[in-house]
Amino acid sequence: MLTAASPPPLLRGRVRVGVLLFALTTATHAAGPAAHAELGEELSGGATTVFDDGRNAFSYPAANLTSDRQTDFFIGNSFFKKNWVEAPASTRARDGLGPHFIARACAGCHVLDGRGAPPKTRGGVAIEPPTGLLFRLSIPGDGGIYGVVSEPTYGGQLNNRAIQGVQPEARVQIRYQTIAGRFADGARYQLRQPLYRFTDLAYGKLHPQTLISPRVAPQVIGLGLLEAIRADDILANAERQRIANNGISGRPNRVWDAYAQEWVIGRFGWKANVGSVAHQDAGAFVGDIGITSQRFSNDGCTDAQPDCRDAVAREAGVRRARGESPVDIDERTLDKVIFYTRTLAVPARRRWDAPEVLRGKRLFHDAGCASCHVPQYRTGELNGLPELSGQTIRPYTDLLLHDMGEHLADHRPDFAADGREWRTPPLWGIGLIKTVNRHTYYLHDGRARDLMEAVLWHGGEAEAAKQRVLQLTKSERAALLSFLQSL
């Protein structure tokens, strides 16, 4: 079993990347539909790509990262994976958990830097509390730089765990409703529609206009490369779709970035509601683990949560007595975690030139999937990260918001995103989710139990593409899945 710190596969990856770089420089970078294998097509992350299709495939540093830079990567890795504890504690570098939280570590939801999953079910009902699935809460209104107006009693997110002396906010019950359908050749399929209910609400009723959005933790590979995509290229995707006038009309989200201190294009999160990796990481630390930092210094206790506020006051008192910083994580450590998540490598594709995979690739393009799942970019310059700059990458996303239809709607706006819109998620790495995370749950709430179910949930702007997939024969469907599994 390889670990993230194991050097042999990194060395192999570097050697192979080095050989293939020459091929890349001579390649034709056409992104259009093709039944042939393109030169360098397996290098999803360009020169950052690593070659490992095992359990740790998502946990390697970019292949072109120097050994000195890898030191920072592994320091960030340790703070991403290790559990935080309640303050005060003997381990002062890792205390400050809560008062409310969902997980004790980033890796609690992003297991092995991979994808979270909804709780296990029995008889269509969840039988354990969610960890890799969280619930955003808000009420109608203009959230300004926060994007949304938080629910007044529970805040912007339901946290189902808490430190000693503080009440967990609620329990989550999930059950699934079956939706049946058929392909054109008569083959049957079943989808499952999740239904959510909160019980044991510790601080009283939710606001009557509460809007709820379930979000599964996505895999965290290639985030820095997505950040390096030029804004002009994202806007060009929207303009191309507008000109095509074929029912696809993606648009960028516009979000406030706490690090840039300006409005930027949203790139991360299920609704493209975050503009940078730094904002994403610092926001997740305080939202999911209760770890405050310089830019996110508020634990989020509301006026209706006195035990939460008392816990924060006790911790602050201890820190003052010790002469310590009032926040839980210092900027130097947080920067290491941000560097880590920016430089997590994307694994190379498998069987990318196999005939069935190429057939599936053609079907993918013919169905119109590539209109939103844009295959290829050349990254721009990313300050301080030359390894990620000027790379030919294949993330399969346009980073735009699209109306995905009523079945997937959460009816909860988030900055410019409306209640039916979701960001096109990158597809790189999806074929390795089963290997890395031991499950195959997809979409924003994990309702899809395999890749075909994920396709069949598409509606709205993607309805036409889904209808084309419904017309495919059994062997064509298998080829399409082979292509997706190769990503």
Side-chain angles (χ1 to χ4, degrees), residues 71 222 249 295 333 340 356 378 393 408 415 417:
T71 299
S249 55
R295 290 175 180 79
T333 303
Y340 170 74
E356 182 174 69
R378 183 78 176 173
I393 63 172
L408 289 180
F415 287 105

Side-chain angles (χ1 to χ4, degrees), residues 119 124-130 133-135 137 158 160 169-176 193-201 206 210 212-214:
V125 179
I127 57 173
E128 58 187 25
L133 171 69
L134 61 80
F135 295 85
L137 307 175
L158 192 77
N160 55 359
E169 291 185 323
R171 295 179 186 273
V172 179
Q173 292 185 354
I174 308 174
R175 65 185 178 88
Y176 292 95
Q193 174 86 48
L195 302 170
Y196 304 106
R197 180 168 174 256
F198 301 150
T199 65
D200 301 319
L201 288 159
L206 289 162
T210 299
I212 300 170
S213 183

Side-chain angles (χ1 to χ4, degrees), residues 50-68:
V50 295
F51 288 81
D52 186 344
D53 58 2
R55 190 82 199 280
N56 291 296
F58 293 165
S59 298
Y60 292 99
N64 57 354
L65 215 57
T66 64
S67 57
D68 287 347

Side-chain angles (χ1 to χ4, degrees), residues 72-287:
D72 286 343
F73 175 91
F74 286 115
I75 292 173
N77 170 54
S78 72
F79 281 91
F80 188 89
K81 288 187 165 59
K82 298 295 184 183
N83 284 342
W84 291 77
V85 298
E86 183 179 342
S90 56
T91 170
R92 297 184 185 180
R94 299 179 191 278
D95 69 347
L97 176 72
H100 290 121
F101 61 96
I102 290 176
R104 296 176 183 275
C106 307
C109 298
H110 304 280
V111 177
L112 294 175
D113 305 293
R115 189 182 186 84
K120 294 178 181 176
T121 60
R122 184 181 300 135
V125 179
I127 57 173
E128 58 187 25
T131 298
L133 171 69
L134 61 80
F135 295 85
R136 293 284 168 81
L137 307 175
S138 60
I139 60 175
D142 181 1
I145 64 172
Y146 301 105
V148 299
V149 179
S150 295
E151 198 281 334
T153 301
Y154 292 88
Q157 183 169 302
L158 192 77
N159 292 314
N160 55 359
R161 292 181 172 83
I163 62 173
Q164 296 181 64
V166 179
Q167 303 179 85
E169 291 185 323
R171 295 179 186 273
V172 179
Q173 292 185 354
I174 308 174
R175 65 185 178 88
Y176 292 95
Q177 206 168 52
T178 299
I179 299 175
R182 291 188 181 194
F183 292 94
D185 63 7
R188 298 175 184 271
Y189 65 81
Q190 286 190 337
L191 306 178
R192 58 173 197 166
Q193 174 86 48
L195 302 170
Y196 304 106
R197 180 168 174 256
F198 301 150
T199 65
D200 301 319
L201 288 159
Y203 304 102
K205 293 180 179 179
L206 289 162
H207 188 281
Q209 292 181 288
T210 299
L211 306 170
I212 300 170
S213 183
R215 313 273 177 97
V216 154
Q219 60 270 35
V220 288
I221 55 173
L223 298 186
L225 293 171
L226 296 178
E227 195 169 33
I229 292 175
R230 295 179 180 87
D232 286 349
D233 288 342
I234 299 172
L235 297 175
N237 287 331
E239 180 63 8
R240 171 181 52 78
Q241 292 168 9
R242 186 190 68 79
I243 293 172
N245 193 28
N246 60 1
I248 305 297
S249 55
R251 62 194 186 105
N253 204 346
R254 298 284 182 178
V255 303
W256 178 259
D257 187 81
Y259 277 73
Q261 287 291 296
E262 62 181 359
W263 292 89
V264 300
I265 292 177
R267 298 165 185 257
F268 306 104
W270 285 102
K271 283 183 177 278
N273 57 323
V274 179
S276 69
V277 175
H279 185 123
Q280 175 69 40
D281 285 0
F285 259 121
V286 73

